[in-house]
Amino acid sequence: MQHVRTRSGLLNGDGGIRETGTVRPFLHVLADTSDKLSGVCSILEEKFTVAGERLDADSRLSQTPAIIVIRAELRDLDNIAAIKKRAGKLAKARKRIFLLEHTSHVCISQAYALGATLVLPSTVGRTRLLAALTDPADESSAASGDAPQPDNAVEAAATAVASMFTAVTLGQPLDVNGTKEAGRQIADRIGQHGLTEWLMTVRRHHEGTYQHCLLVTGITIDFGLSLGVGRADLERLYSAAMFHDIGKARIPLPILDKPGRLDAAERTLIETHPAAGYEFLKDHDGISPEILDAVRHHHEYLDGSGYPDALCGDSIGDIVRILTISDIFAALIEHRHYKPTMPRAEAYNVLCGMTGKLEKALVHSFKQVALTR
Ligand SMILES: [Fe+2]
Ligand SMILES: [Fe+2]
């Protein structure tokens, strides 16, 4: 069955529709049931020319849209096969937004493996969905002629992070080399295009914990580059950053990505993640003692007020100190749809205010990463 909905109007050659002189962007919606299809279409028709199709129909929509929105149950293998059948068309779309029924690590990982550029829960509100589709950052970069870089490195890195979380969830062995390789690609990308471009791209395409891991890795790499570390140390840094929050795979996503404050029980649960990550990684080949140390201790402070081991001063290594500063900064500047993004200068001031907890000289060196790079 094919289900096509478009607002009345004249489709033009570039995928838009002309209505009294304005061009409405054209997008596709794919869904696994008619109810879901009409639900998503009715929201999007406010701002777009929408063509919808059920996943179990033969793919007949001929135009290639700039945006494809897919709402489907990814635990259903038929749906996965139907999405894979449309891989060619998907690859040509600039945005591929997946609305998931179950936002488990496994389903999110599957969505990225199928080419998602953004994954949202199917319960996402109308405002948030429309905002994701009409991201002003895209328009300003297009208007300025400063075209965003191809996002292959971002998607490869997001897939690596999602697969890492999935491996923990399912108790499968981790692809250590694949994860490190994704870190190396981020280092290449930042070496070529700088930190700011990385931060903007990641925040535009990713949400929550995955976004956080990608931001921390980019910031840690750029901090390392600014300090002039050698190749081997840079590899230690990006590997530690990629793996640092792997223990969060043991914590349900609704707690990890909860808007607003956590209660005491939730906070206690979250604070188990450094030791959980360490326990998971310690039996894997290819994870050096420095990486294990960084994973376990990235929430320790020099004054002994951190967790899980309340380490002090000299017992906190250099890689850990660099990672901790990058981690806090990333958490402050991450993009959350429910609150404004903190400006980088303001986030740097928060770090400067953490007297006694972070190494003062390192925070001083971090200034150019935070503000100018
Ligand atoms: Fe953490
Ligand atoms: Fe973190």
Side-chain angles (χ1 to χ4, degrees):
M1 164 190 161
Q2 190 178 20
H3 179 125
V4 178
R5 300 166 62 120
T6 58
R7 274 176 62 111
S8 59
L10 198 68
L11 280 172
N12 63 18
D14 59 2
I17 193 166
R18 290 185 217 287
E19 276 185 342
T20 58
T22 57
V23 176
R24 291 165 59 89
F26 175 58
L27 61 75
H28 274 188
V29 177
L30 299 171
D32 53 358
T33 70
S34 298
D35 283 355
K36 290 180 195 172
L37 190 61
S38 49
V40 177
C41 287
S42 66
I43 294 172
L44 300 181
E45 279 166 356
E46 284 178 34
K47 295 210 168 173
F48 297 89
T49 298
V50 180
E53 184 172 83
R54 265 182 43 172
L55 278 170
D56 58 359
D58 288 336
S59 179
R60 288 200 200 135
L61 297 172
S62 54
Q63 262 188 316
T64 300
I67 305 174
I68 296 182
V69 178
I70 299 178
R71 181 172 170 191
E73 168 57 81
L74 292 188
R75 294 178 304 179
D76 183 330
L77 296 180
D78 289 340
N79 288 339
I80 291 173
I83 295 168
K84 280 185 179 163
K85 243 172 53 186
R86 293 163 168 90
K89 186 177 286 182
L90 244 70
K92 290 187 192 141
R94 186 167 47 85
K95 285 188 181 184
R96 302 176 289 274
I97 298 185
F98 281 58
L99 303 174
L100 298 189
E101 308 303 310
H102 293 271
T103 47
S104 64
H105 294 301
V106 177
C107 290
I108 292 175
S109 175
Q110 181 67 68
Y112 283 121
L114 290 167
T117 56
L118 177 65
V119 179
L120 296 170
S122 60
T123 51
V124 68
R126 179 189 150 277
T127 311
R128 168 71 186 119
L129 180 55
L130 288 172
L133 292 166
T134 51
D135 186 338
D138 290 350
E139 281 152 31
S140 62
S141 59
S144 68
D146 178 18
Q149 299 303 317
D151 290 335
N152 299 349
V154 187
E155 284 160 28
T159 306
V161 171
S163 328
M164 186 168 79
F165 276 73
T166 302
V168 180
T169 309
L170 300 178
Q172 292 171 346
L174 198 63
D175 178 6
V176 172
N177 290 332
T179 311
K180 286 185 181 175
E181 172 56 22
R184 195 189 60 72
Q185 285 180 25
I186 299 173
D188 286 351
R189 166 101 166 218
I190 287 174
Q192 265 185 299
H193 302 293
L195 179 63
T196 299
E197 187 269 339
W198 178 255
L199 299 181
M200 283 172 55
T201 308
V202 169
R203 287 187 296 198
R204 201 154 61 228
H205 290 294
H206 295 281
E207 290 272 313
T209 303
Y210 299 118
Q211 178 196 129
H212 172 73
C213 291
L214 298 174
L215 292 178
V216 174
T217 304
I219 293 164
T220 307
I221 287 167
D222 200 54
F223 196 4
L225 292 173
S226 81
L227 293 168
V229 304
R231 245 178 107 106
D233 276 333
L234 193 66
E235 186 185 327
R236 283 186 193 100
L237 282 172
Y238 64 63
S239 303
M242 283 295 282
F243 292 120
H244 83 285
D245 271 340
I246 191 171
K248 286 186 176 171
R250 298 256 191 251
I251 296 163
L253 278 168
I255 295 182
L256 283 183
D257 295 335
K258 179 180 171 181
R261 284 201 168 278
L262 299 170
D263 65 30
E266 291 166 340
R267 166 91 9 234
T268 306
L269 186 61
I270 291 255
E271 290 186 0
T272 61
H273 80 271
Y278 171 87
E279 288 302 322
F280 180 79
L281 287 174
K282 73 178 176 20
D283 299 325
H284 281 80
D285 292 335
I287 304 282
S288 65
E290 294 100 326
I291 296 175
L292 282 178
D293 181 46
V295 169
R296 185 173 179 100
H297 294 129
H298 68 275
H299 287 283
E300 303 284 3
Y301 291 132
L302 297 176
D303 63 4
S305 63
Y307 62 89
D309 298 319
L311 295 185
C312 288
D314 288 348
S315 45
I316 302 176
D318 289 340
I319 301 254
V320 185
R321 293 174 186 217
I322 291 171
L323 178 59
T324 301
I325 291 171
S326 308
D327 185 34
I328 298 168
F329 186 72
L332 291 169
I333 65 162
E334 69 191 25
H335 175 75
R336 293 277 180 146
H337 61 87
Y338 51 82
K339 69 174 174 74
T341 304
M342 185 184 282
R344 288 165 68 171
E346 200 178 317
Y348 182 66
N349 284 339
V350 173
L351 289 176
C352 293
M354 294 178 68
T355 322
K357 295 183 185 298
L358 306 172
E359 183 182 323
K360 212 172 167 182
L362 268 183
V363 173
H364 184 72
S365 303
F366 188 68
K367 184 170 185 178
Q368 53 163 322
V369 177
L371 303 185
T372 57
R373 287 168 67 95

